[in-house]
Amino acid sequence: MKTAGNTRIGKSAMLLLLTERSEEDWNRHFNELNWSYCTGRIGSMDSQKIVAAIETAAKRSDIVREDLYREMHALYHAIMEALTGVTRGHTQLGEILRTVGLSFSVVRGTPYAQEEEGEWIAVALYGTIGAPVKGLEHETIGLGINHI
Amino acid sequence: MKTAGNTRIGKSAMLLLLTERSEEDWNRHFNELNWSYCTGRIGSMDSQKIVAAIETAAKRSDIVREDLYREMHALYHAIMEALTGVTRGHTQLGEILRTVGLSFSVVRGTPYAQEEEGEWIAVALYGTIGAPVKGLEHETIGLGINHI
Amino acid sequence: MKTAGNTRIGKSAMLLLLTERSEEDWNRHFNELNWSYCTGRIGSMDSQKIVAAIETAAKRSDIVREDLYREMHALYHAIMEALTGVTRGHTQLGEILRTVGLSFSVVRGTPYAQEEEGEWIAVALYGTIGAPVKGLEHETIGLGINHI
Amino acid sequence: MKTAGNTRIGKSAMLLLLTERSEEDWNRHFNELNWSYCTGRIGSMDSQKIVAAIETAAKRSDIVREDLYREMHALYHAIMEALTGVTRGHTQLGEILRTVGLSFSVVRGTPYAQEEEGEWIAVALYGTIGAPVKGLEHETIGLGINHI
Amino acid sequence: MKTAGNTRIGKSAMLLLLTERSEEDWNRHFNELNWSYCTGRIGSMDSQKIVAAIETAAKRSDIVREDLYREMHALYHAIMEALTGVTRGHTQLGEILRTVGLSFSVVRGTPYAQEEEGEWIAVALYGTIGAPVKGLEHETIGLGINHI
Amino acid sequence: MKTAGNTRIGKSAMLLLLTERSEEDWNRHFNELNWSYCTGRIGSMDSQKIVAAIETAAKRSDIVREDLYREMHALYHAIMEALTGVTRGHTQLGEILRTVGLSFSVVRGTPYAQEEEGEWIAVALYGTIGAPVKGLEHETIGLGINHI
Ligand SMILES: [Mg+2]
Ligand SMILES: [Mg+2]
Ligand SMILES: [Mg+2]
Ligand SMILES: [Mg+2]
Ligand SMILES: [Mg+2]
Ligand SMILES: [Mg+2]
C-alpha cells in the first residue's frame, strides 16, 4: 500500500470498476490514503441522466460540496472527459440510437507527492455501449481527471 | 478462469496495463481462451508515432496480418477510438503542446458466446498526458473495440 | 461490367442515389457481382430516426443479420461515418434547428480482388439539409465504409 | 468614429454585449456606418431555442431576409460558429446537463475597405454556462462571422 | 438538360468525379447553365496540401477571384466541409498515420430558381483513404456547399 | 469599480483586448480587486506556438506558478477552451492552411462573492484568422475559464 501505483488516482478509479476486490478492502485502501470515493451504476440512452447520476452520487457521498461551484465545476469537466472516452467522438447516446450500461466511480485524493499540488478528482466509467437491443453491444471505458 | 469476466476483451486489455499480474499468468489466461495479445510502451508528442508503434507491435506479434487490409482496418479504427479516450476532444498532441507516455495492449479474441460473432480486437491505452515537462501530467486511459 | 469501377463499393452506393439508372439495371449489376443492396428515403429532424430507417431497411433486405452483433456493429459505424459527412461537424439535426431529407443506400459486397479481404459494407446518403422551412436548404452527401 | 476599430464588425458585435454604451449611442454609431444590428437575450437548456431566438430577432429587425436562403444560410453558419465558442467542444446543452443564459447581437455591415468585399454578418454571444442550478455557472463567449 | 437534377450543384460536382462522361459533354452541360467548374487530383498525407491544391485549381480556373476575400472565404469553408466528410471526425491525415488519394471538383453556379439566391459554390472530393501502404485503403467522399 | 460587472473575470479579460483603456487604468482596476493579469500578442500558423506564448506570458507575469502542475493544468484547459472558440471546430491552423494573429490576455482573480469559491483563471483571445495571405482574414474570439 506504499507503492507508487497506490497513489495513481486514475488507476485506482478504474480498478474500482474492473476488479472484484471487496468493499472492505477498498475502504481500507482509501482510508490509509485519506482519500474519498464512491461507485454506482447507471444505464440510459440519455447522456443527461449519466451526468446526473454521477453528480448525485458524488454529492451524496460527500466527495464534492454541491454548494461550491468550484468543486462541481471540477467534477463536471472530469465527467465530460470520461464521457468522451465512452462515446469516442460525439457525446451522444439515444440521439444516434445507442445506449449505455455503465458502472462508475469517483475518487478524490492527493495523487502528487508535492503537497501543494493539492486535491484532484478522477471519474472512471466502464460498461457496455451499443444498440438498444440486448447483446448488441461492446465494452467501453472512459476516464476524466481534474484538479479540485 | 471460466467466469464471464474472463471473456471481457476490453477489461482484459485494460487489466493487462493496470495490474501487476505476471506475463506467465497472462499467457496461461489467454492460451486457455485461445486468444492472442501483445503489450508495449510508447512516449511521444507525435500521434503518428503512437499509431505506428501499436500497429507495428500488433503485426510483429501476429495479432493482425499486415497484408490483409480487413484486419489492419479493424485495428486502425480500434486505435483511433482508444486515442479519442486518451486525448478527450482533439486527437492532437504536440500540435497543442502536450505529450503522452503510454503503455498499450492489443487483444484479439472471441468475447461473445455465440460462435458466429467471431473475432474482435481491443486496443487499450494507459499512461500520462501533459505538458512536455516532467511531472506536469496526469493519467489518461483509452479503449477501442472492433470486430475483425 | 468488368471494369475496376464496377467493384468500387462506395462509388456504386453513391451512384445508386445520384443517377437515374433503372432498378432492373442495378439488379443486374449487383447480381453479376453477387452483391446485395437496398435503397430508401427518410426525412427527419431526429438523427435517431435516420439511423433507425437505414438499419431497418438493411435488416429487411437481408443485407445484415439483425441477430448478429458483428454485422450490426459494422453497419452502425458505416452509418455514423456517412452521417458525419452529412452533418459536417456535429451529428445533430433538430437540436441545432436543422432538418434533412435524405435518400440512402446500403451495399454489401467484395470490393477487393484478394478473396481474403472478404465482405465490406457501404452506406451512402444524399439529399438536402437546412432550416425546417421548405427551400431553405442545400445538398449534402455522406459515405461510410466498413469491413463486415 | 473613423478609426479602423469602428469597422471591426466582430469587435462591434462583442462590445454591444460587454459595454454599457447607450442604445442611442450605438444607433448613431451604426447609422454612420450604414450598418444594421439587433440584440436580445435568451436562456435555455435547448440549443434549438438559442438558434431560433437569434434567427427570429435577426429576421424581425430586417437584418436578414427570411425568404432568401442565401442570407439565412450565412446567418445560420455564423450562429453555429458562435455557439461553438460558447460550448467549447460539443454544441450540446441540456443533453449534457448544462444550461446557458446569453445575451446576443447580430451585426450586418461592410467591414472591409474594398467595396467588392460587400456585406458580412457577425453573431456575438456572451453570458453564462453551467449546471441548471443558480450560481453554478461561469461566463462564456462566442463569435461567428460570415460573408452574406 | 432542363430537368431539376441538372441544376443540383452538389450532385453535378459529385458526378464530375464518379462518372466517365467526356470533358466535352461536361463543358456543354455547364455552358448551357452558364456555370463554371474545374477538376483536379491530389494525393497527400498533409491536409494543408489538399486545401492548397483545391484553392489553386479554383483560382487558376477563374472560379474564384483570389484577391477577393469574400470568394476565398466561401471556397475555404466549402473545402473544410468536404474534408470533414472525407476524414469523418478529425480533419487529420498524416498526423494519425493515414493518407488520401483524391480527385476533386469545384463548381460555381446558380442552383436556385429564384434569381436573388445568386451564386453558390460546391466542392466535391472522391478517392481513397487509408494507411500509407498501397492497397490498405477504402473509398471516401466529401461535399461542401456555400453561398458565394 | 464596485459594480457586478467589474468582477466578471471573462468580461474583464475580453475588454482588455477590445477597448483602448490605458494600462494605468487597468492596473488600478485589477489592483483594487487584488487580481493579476497579463496581455500579449502572437501570430502563427502553429497552434503549439499559440499555447506556448500564452503559457510563457502567464508564467513570466507570475500569474501561474510553473512548478505547480495544478496551476499549469488549470491554465492549459482554459487556453484550450479559448482556442476552440477561435478555431470553431478543429484546433488546427497551418494543418488546414490558415493562420491567426491574436492578442491575448490572462486574468487570475476571485469572481464569486462567496470566498470559498477561491481563484479562477480566464484566457481571452481576439484577432484575425484566415488564409496565409494579408487581408484574407476575418475576426475571431475565444474565452476559456477555469478554477485554479
Ligand atoms: Mg487535463
Ligand atoms: Mg463500436
Ligand atoms: Mg475506415
Ligand atoms: Mg470563416
Ligand atoms: Mg451550410
Ligand atoms: Mg467550465
Side-chain angles (χ1 to χ4, degrees):
Chain A
M1 294 259 169
K2 290 283 145 59
T3 70
N6 281 332
T7 57
R8 294 279 169 77
I9 193 169
K11 186 193 271 196
S12 290
M14 193 53 74
L15 288 175
L16 268 165
L17 308 178
L18 297 185
T19 59
E20 319 258 319
R21 218 166 139 179
S22 71
E23 202 187 320
E24 195 177 58
D25 210 23
W26 279 113
N27 287 341
R28 202 180 315 118
H29 171 71
F30 287 115
N31 282 339
E32 280 186 37
L33 290 164
N34 207 21
W35 293 11
S36 58
Y37 82 102
C38 72
T39 60
R41 284 173 179 281
I42 175 74
S44 183
M45 291 187 78
D46 185 350
S47 310
Q48 192 181 92
K49 285 186 185 153
I50 312 293
V51 180
I54 303 169
E55 288 189 347
T56 301
K59 291 187 283 191
R60 288 205 186 143
S61 310
D62 292 319
I63 293 170
V64 289
R65 273 180 55 186
E66 71 180 299
D67 62 324
L68 207 51
Y69 180 43
R70 174 175 198 80
E71 300 207 344
M72 294 310 292
H73 185 253
L75 173 62
Y76 183 78
H77 282 276
I79 294 172
M80 280 304 109
E81 296 196 359
L83 209 51
T84 304
V86 162
T87 53
R88 289 145 297 129
H90 303 277
T91 51
Q92 295 173 295
L93 299 174
E95 297 93 324
I96 46 174
L97 202 55
R98 59 181 180 174
T99 189
V100 291
L102 295 172
S103 57
F104 63 82
S105 66
V106 184
V107 179
R108 179 177 179 156
T110 50
Y112 295 93
Q114 196 183 344
E115 204 183 332
E116 285 175 296
E117 290 296 359
E119 286 185 302
W120 291 69
I121 194 161
V123 173
L125 304 172
Y126 170 72
T128 55
I129 192 164
V133 175
K134 177 111 189 95
L136 302 196
E137 66 207 8
H138 60 63
E139 291 160 279
T140 187
I141 269 177
L143 175 69
I145 290 188
N146 210 352
H147 61 285
I148 192 164
Chain B
M1 293 256 168
K2 290 286 145 55
T3 70
N6 281 332
T7 56
R8 294 279 169 79
I9 193 169
K11 186 192 273 197
S12 290
M14 193 52 73
L15 287 175
L16 269 165
L17 309 178
L18 298 185
T19 58
E20 316 261 319
R21 219 167 139 180
S22 72
E23 201 187 320
E24 195 176 58
D25 210 23
W26 278 114
N27 287 342
R28 202 179 316 117
H29 171 70
F30 287 116
N31 281 340
E32 279 186 38
L33 289 165
N34 206 23
W35 293 11
S36 57
Y37 82 103
C38 72
T39 60
R41 281 172 181 281
I42 176 74
S44 184
M45 290 187 80
D46 185 350
S47 310
Q48 192 182 92
K49 285 185 186 156
I50 312 292
V51 180
I54 303 170
E55 288 188 349
T56 301
K59 290 188 283 191
R60 288 205 186 143
S61 310
D62 292 320
I63 292 170
V64 290
R65 273 181 53 189
E66 70 180 298
D67 61 324
L68 208 51
Y69 180 45
R70 171 176 202 79
E71 300 207 343
M72 294 309 292
H73 185 253
L75 173 62
Y76 183 79
H77 281 277
I79 294 172
M80 281 302 109
E81 296 196 359
L83 209 51
T84 304
V86 161
T87 53
R88 289 145 298 127
H90 303 277
T91 51
Q92 296 173 294
L93 298 175
E95 297 93 325
I96 46 173
L97 202 53
R98 58 181 180 175
T99 189
V100 292
L102 295 171
S103 58
F104 62 82
S105 66
V106 184
V107 179
R108 179 176 179 156
T110 50
Y112 296 93
Q114 198 184 343
E115 204 183 331
E116 285 174 296
E117 291 296 358
E119 286 183 302
W120 292 67
I121 194 162
V123 173
L125 303 173
Y126 169 71
T128 54
I129 191 164
V133 176
K134 178 110 190 96
L136 301 197
E137 64 206 12
H138 60 62
E139 291 161 278
T140 187
I141 269 178
L143 175 68
I145 290 188
N146 210 353
H147 61 284
I148 193 167
Chain C
M1 296 257 166
K2 290 283 145 59
T3 69
N6 281 332
T7 56
R8 294 277 169 78
I9 194 169
K11 186 193 272 197
S12 290
M14 192 52 74
L15 287 175
L16 268 165
L17 308 178
L18 297 184
T19 59
E20 318 259 319
R21 219 165 138 180
S22 71
E23 200 188 322
E24 196 176 57
D25 209 23
W26 278 113
N27 287 341
R28 202 179 316 117
H29 171 71
F30 286 116
N31 281 339
E32 279 186 36
L33 289 165
N34 207 22
W35 292 11
S36 58
Y37 82 102
C38 72
T39 60
R41 281 171 182 281
I42 175 74
S44 183
M45 289 188 79
D46 184 350
S47 310
Q48 191 181 93
K49 285 186 186 153
I50 312 292
V51 180
I54 303 170
E55 288 188 348
T56 301
K59 290 188 283 192
R60 288 206 187 141
S61 309
D62 292 320
I63 292 169
V64 290
R65 274 179 55 187
E66 71 180 300
D67 63 323
L68 206 51
Y69 180 44
R70 173 177 199 81
E71 300 207 344
M72 295 308 293
H73 185 253
L75 174 61
Y76 183 78
H77 282 276
I79 294 172
M80 280 303 108
E81 295 196 359
L83 208 51
T84 303
V86 162
T87 53
R88 290 144 298 129
H90 303 278
T91 51
Q92 295 173 294
L93 299 175
E95 296 93 325
I96 46 174
L97 202 55
R98 59 182 180 174
T99 189
V100 292
L102 296 172
S103 57
F104 62 83
S105 67
V106 184
V107 179
R108 179 177 179 156
T110 50
Y112 296 93
Q114 197 183 343
E115 203 183 332
E116 285 175 296
E117 290 295 359
E119 286 184 302
W120 291 68
I121 195 161
V123 173
L125 303 173
Y126 170 71
T128 54
I129 191 163
V133 175
K134 178 109 189 97
L136 301 196
E137 66 208 9
H138 60 62
E139 292 161 277
T140 188
I141 269 177
L143 174 68
I145 290 188
N146 211 352
H147 61 284
I148 193 167
Chain D
M1 292 256 167
K2 289 284 146 54
T3 70
N6 281 332
T7 56
R8 294 278 169 78
I9 193 168
K11 186 193 272 197
S12 289
M14 192 53 72
L15 287 176
L16 268 165
L17 309 178
L18 297 186
T19 58
E20 318 260 318
R21 218 166 139 179
S22 72
E23 202 187 319
E24 197 175 56
D25 209 23
W26 279 114
N27 287 341
R28 202 177 319 116
H29 171 70
F30 287 116
N31 281 339
E32 279 186 37
L33 290 164
N34 207 20
W35 293 10
S36 57
Y37 82 102
C38 71
T39 60
R41 283 172 180 282
I42 175 75
S44 184
M45 291 188 77
D46 185 350
S47 310
Q48 192 181 93
K49 284 186 186 153
I50 312 292
V51 180
I54 303 170
E55 288 188 348
T56 300
K59 290 188 284 192
R60 287 205 186 141
S61 309
D62 292 320
I63 292 169
V64 291
R65 274 179 53 188
E66 71 180 299
D67 62 323
L68 206 52
Y69 180 44
R70 172 175 200 80
E71 300 206 344
M72 294 309 293
H73 185 253
L75 173 61
Y76 184 77
H77 282 276
I79 294 172
M80 280 303 109
E81 296 195 359
L83 209 51
T84 304
V86 162
T87 54
R88 289 145 298 127
H90 303 277
T91 50
Q92 296 174 294
L93 298 175
E95 297 92 325
I96 46 174
L97 201 54
R98 59 182 180 175
T99 189
V100 292
L102 295 172
S103 58
F104 62 83
S105 67
V106 184
V107 179
R108 179 176 179 156
T110 49
Y112 296 93
Q114 197 184 343
E115 203 184 331
E116 285 175 295
E117 291 296 358
E119 286 184 303
W120 291 68
I121 195 161
V123 173
L125 303 172
Y126 169 72
T128 55
I129 191 163
V133 176
K134 178 108 189 98
L136 302 196
E137 65 208 11
H138 60 62
E139 292 161 277
T140 187
I141 269 178
L143 175 68
I145 290 187
N146 210 352
H147 60 284
I148 191 165
Chain E
M1 294 257 168
K2 291 284 147 56
T3 69
N6 281 334
T7 56
R8 295 278 169 78
I9 193 169
K11 185 193 272 196
S12 290
M14 192 53 73
L15 286 175
L16 269 166
L17 309 178
L18 297 185
T19 59
E20 318 259 318
R21 219 167 138 179
S22 71
E23 201 187 321
E24 194 176 59
D25 209 23
W26 279 113
N27 287 341
R28 201 180 316 118
H29 171 70
F30 286 115
N31 281 339
E32 280 186 36
L33 290 164
N34 205 21
W35 293 10
S36 58
Y37 82 103
C38 71
T39 59
R41 282 171 181 282
I42 175 74
S44 184
M45 291 188 78
D46 184 350
S47 310
Q48 192 182 92
K49 285 187 186 154
I50 312 292
V51 180
I54 303 170
E55 288 188 348
T56 301
K59 290 187 284 192
R60 288 204 187 143
S61 309
D62 292 319
I63 293 171
V64 289
R65 273 180 54 189
E66 70 180 300
D67 62 324
L68 207 51
Y69 181 44
R70 173 175 199 81
E71 300 207 344
M72 294 310 292
H73 185 252
L75 174 61
Y76 183 78
H77 282 277
I79 294 171
M80 280 303 109
E81 296 197 358
L83 208 52
T84 304
V86 161
T87 53
R88 289 143 298 127
H90 303 277
T91 51
Q92 296 172 294
L93 298 175
E95 296 94 324
I96 47 173
L97 201 55
R98 59 182 180 174
T99 190
V100 291
L102 296 172
S103 57
F104 63 81
S105 66
V106 184
V107 179
R108 179 176 179 157
T110 50
Y112 296 93
Q114 198 184 342
E115 203 183 332
E116 285 175 295
E117 290 296 358
E119 286 183 302
W120 292 67
I121 195 161
V123 173
L125 303 172
Y126 170 71
T128 54
I129 191 165
V133 176
K134 177 112 190 95
L136 301 197
E137 65 206 12
H138 60 61
E139 291 161 278
T140 186
I141 269 178
L143 175 68
I145 290 187
N146 210 352
H147 62 285
I148 193 166
Chain F
M1 294 255 167
K2 290 285 146 56
T3 70
N6 281 333
T7 57
R8 294 279 170 78
I9 193 168
K11 185 192 271 196
S12 290
M14 192 54 72
L15 287 176
L16 268 165
L17 309 179
L18 298 185
T19 58
E20 318 259 319
R21 219 167 139 180
S22 71
E23 202 187 321
E24 195 176 58
D25 209 23
W26 278 114
N27 287 342
R28 201 179 317 117
H29 171 70
F30 287 116
N31 281 340
E32 279 186 37
L33 290 164
N34 206 21
W35 293 10
S36 57
Y37 81 103
C38 71
T39 60
R41 283 172 180 280
I42 175 75
S44 184
M45 291 187 77
D46 184 350
S47 310
Q48 193 181 91
K49 285 185 185 154
I50 312 293
V51 180
I54 303 170
E55 289 188 347
T56 301
K59 289 187 285 191
R60 288 205 186 143
S61 310
D62 292 320
I63 293 170
V64 290
R65 273 181 53 189
E66 70 180 300
D67 62 323
L68 206 52
Y69 181 44
R70 173 176 200 80
E71 300 206 344
M72 294 310 292
H73 185 253
L75 173 62
Y76 183 78
H77 282 277
I79 294 172
M80 281 303 108
E81 296 196 0
L83 208 51
T84 304
V86 162
T87 53
R88 288 144 299 127
H90 303 278
T91 51
Q92 295 172 294
L93 298 175
E95 298 93 324
I96 48 175
L97 201 54
R98 58 180 180 175
T99 189
V100 292
L102 296 172
S103 58
F104 63 82
S105 66
V106 184
V107 179
R108 178 175 180 158
T110 51
Y112 296 94
Q114 198 184 343
E115 203 184 332
E116 285 174 297
E117 291 295 359
E119 286 183 302
W120 291 69
I121 195 162
V123 173
L125 303 172
Y126 170 71
T128 54
I129 191 164
V133 176
K134 177 110 189 96
L136 302 196
E137 65 207 11
H138 59 62
E139 291 161 278
T140 187
I141 269 178
L143 176 68
I145 290 187
N146 210 352
H147 60 285
I148 191 165

